[in-house]
Amino acid sequence: MLDNATYNLMETATVISKGLHRYGTFQSDAKNCQHCQQIWNEMKQADEKQLEKIVAHLRQHMQTGGATKAA
């Protein structure tokens, strides 16, 4: 069983990852508004950066045994 900290990292990485694919649709929907496209692009970049940070730290948790022993 995963400890809470490791589980939380995995859950957050999953949520961010699932959301990243939507930005293409958002940018396409905003094709007539350059400012909207810029906003979506900036948000996508921020999410990608957050995901990289979370995944890197999640690797550390997994390498150091980010699991609790089942009772």
Side-chain angles (χ1 to χ4, degrees):
M1 184 158 86
L2 296 174
D3 63 25
N4 286 342
T6 303
Y7 178 85
N8 292 340
L9 290 168
M10 284 182 56
E11 181 70 17
T12 302
T14 300
V15 169
I16 292 171
S17 183
K18 285 181 179 180
L20 278 170
H21 81 278
R22 294 187 182 113
Y23 285 113
T25 300
F26 297 162
Q27 288 176 313
S28 178
D29 289 347
K31 62 185 170 197
N32 295 324
C33 180
Q34 186 65 33
H35 190 246
C36 285
Q37 289 185 10
Q38 181 182 352
I39 290 169
W40 294 127
N41 188 49
E42 290 172 4
M43 291 182 67
K44 180 181 178 185
Q45 289 176 358
D47 282 356
E48 288 171 337
K49 196 177 272 190
Q50 287 179 340
L51 182 59
E52 288 175 21
K53 188 174 187 176
I54 289 170
V55 169
H57 191 62
L58 179 59
R59 275 192 199 100
Q60 291 177 358
H61 273 255
M62 298 305 283
Q63 290 171 351
T64 59
T68 57
K69 293 184 180 178

